[in-house]
Amino acid sequence: MKYIFFILQLIGHTVLTSIQTIGRLVVFMLTGLYYCFIPPFYFRHLSKQMIEIGFYSLPVVGLTAIFTGMVLALQSYTGFARFSAEAAIPNVVVISITRELGPVLAGLMVAGRIGAAMAAEIGTMRVTEQIDALVTLATNPMKYLVAPRLVAGTIMLPFLVVVADIIGVFGGYLVSIYKLGFNPAIYIKNTIDFLQALDVVSGLVKAAVFGFLVALMGCYHGYYSKGGAQGVGTATTNAVVASSILILTFNYLITESFFAQ
């Protein structure tokens, strides 16, 4: 009987903790969204975040995209050659990059780089009581710290995905032309003919959602971090893990909403 009560207590504690965490996250998100549209706006802080997220993430996103496109073309050739369907490689490369691999890989790269940095920066401000000092100076930390990051993440990730799409398709082009012996003109024509606006639009919608989620998780875990340097480290790890899981989850949900039959 004692073990049954212990198990029930454990289940109840887990359920209540989960509900509390979800409720606090929802309130945090809605508060952050509210302050995104309420003046005054910290444009200087916003532009700094946009440069940090967009410009400084270009190298890692570009490298990820070009090697992904190259490997995709190579692996597609290996598989399609068994069915004499090598001509479909340009179609597979462009649709895979624009719909899935571009937004997902860019989102994961930004989550690892920017989400962790946001959690570490805001978490350090929390444990060193700098956020309390902002409140003392009549500065709303949600408006000053969270809102600019949410806006910057939502705006800049689609730009990164456009660059990732172009570089990824170019990577597939390089392998197909210079290693697999495709005709350049026919390859480009097949790529353009097969690409549809919906493929690009769905990828950009995913990118905007992923950018918002990465910024939200970075800010949330940093804002509620505690326990000194160890707590900041835990918040950083949690921000990256939560962002990655949410990116993969919402990737399926958005794909389902766009392309479900």
Side-chain angles (χ1 to χ4, degrees), residues 54-70 97 102 105-106 109-110 159-171:
F55 182 74
Y56 290 117
S57 297
L58 277 175
V60 65
V61 171
L63 280 174
T64 304
I66 193 166
F67 285 115
T68 300
M70 294 168 73
I97 293 289
L105 292 178
M109 291 299 107
V110 172
F159 283 99
L160 283 173
V161 168
V162 169
V163 176
D165 288 348
I166 295 171
I167 295 177
V169 172
F170 180 67

Side-chain angles (χ1 to χ4, degrees), residues 100 198 201-202 205-206 209 249-261:
E100 297 297 331
L198 184 61
V201 170
S202 66
V205 170
K206 288 181 179 180
V209 174
T249 304
F250 275 82
N251 179 52
Y252 172 78
L253 295 176
I254 297 172
T255 301
E256 179 78 18
S257 65
F258 269 97
F259 302 106
Q261 299 295 326

Side-chain angles (χ1 to χ4, degrees), residues 8-18:
L8 290 176
Q9 184 182 19
L10 186 63
I11 294 173
H13 176 73
T14 304
V15 171
L16 289 176
T17 303
S18 301

Side-chain angles (χ1 to χ4, degrees), residues 65-116:
I66 193 166
F67 285 115
T68 300
M70 294 168 73
V71 169
L72 185 60
L74 208 54
Q75 291 284 27
S76 300
Y77 181 82
T78 305
F80 288 171
R82 300 173 185 175
F83 309 101
S84 301
E86 298 91 333
I89 289 177
N91 309 344
V92 171
V93 170
V94 72
I95 198 171
S96 301
I97 293 289
T98 53
R99 282 189 183 186
E100 297 297 331
L101 296 177
V104 171
L105 292 178
L108 292 176
M109 291 299 107
V110 172
R113 183 179 174 277
I114 297 299

